[in-house]
Amino acid sequence: MRLGLAGTGRIGTAHAETLKGFEEVESVVVADVDPARALPAAAKLGVESVSLDELFAAGLDGLVVTAATDAHPGLIIAAVDAGIPVFCEKPVAADIPGTLAVIDRRVRGKSTPGASSRERAPIPNRKDRVRLLAPLLIARSRP
């Protein structure tokens, strides 16, 4: 399996190291909006580094998004459009419009983005937020 990782900060580097350890993972490709950050991370981990644009054309079997939160919606949507199953580090977006854009694209697309979440929505709007985000909490891909 060839996996991509978008975002090579502390969390991204930790995820890339974990992914490399799985027997099923043949290669990991990393990218970052700041190539100066991606290159040393790739060298340290012994993985390939490419630009974000090249990442979506790298023949990936899956993508892990660990970039800055404001970049999450665009990266998730780009992965869905490229037919790449995607897992996004929490949160899916920094705001409701970004979240709705991902939901809209997911509904029309063939992939379901996944997200990890240890955070809880504030009590006053918890039901509405859970109903809105529930489709995004299961990592799953469809051919």
Side-chain angles (χ1 to χ4, degrees):
M1 183 175 350
R2 181 171 169 84
L3 297 178
L5 188 130
T8 56
R10 183 180 52 83
I11 299 283
T13 302
H15 278 301
E17 193 165 13
T18 299
L19 293 172
K20 272 186 47 176
F22 289 114
E23 170 179 315
E24 302 84 2
V25 177
E26 297 165 6
S27 64
V28 175
V29 183
V30 299
D32 197 286
V33 68
D34 179 5
R37 183 183 344 200
L39 290 171
K44 175 185 171 191
L45 295 165
V47 300
E48 183 181 352
S49 175
V50 298
S51 72
L52 282 173
D53 289 335
E54 294 168 327
L55 187 63
F56 295 101
L60 301 177
D61 297 302
L63 176 69
V64 177
V65 175
T66 60
T69 301
D70 62 343
H72 288 183
L75 292 167
I76 292 169
I77 290 168
V80 169
D81 289 347
I84 302 168
V86 57
F87 179 86
C88 183
E89 182 62 50
K90 68 172 175 52
V92 169
D95 55 21
I96 291 174
T99 303
L100 292 175
V102 170
I103 290 170
D104 179 58
R105 186 61 191 101
R106 182 200 61 85
V107 168
R108 291 183 288 121
K110 293 183 179 179
S111 292
T112 301
S116 67
S117 179
R118 292 181 296 269
E119 297 179 348
R120 300 289 182 258
I123 299 294
N125 296 317
R126 180 174 277 167
K127 270 188 180 176
D128 290 338
R129 289 180 188 221
V130 167
R131 207 172 309 128
L132 179 68
L133 295 175
L136 301 176
L137 298 177
I138 299 170
R140 183 175 166 199
S141 67
R142 298 181 188 124

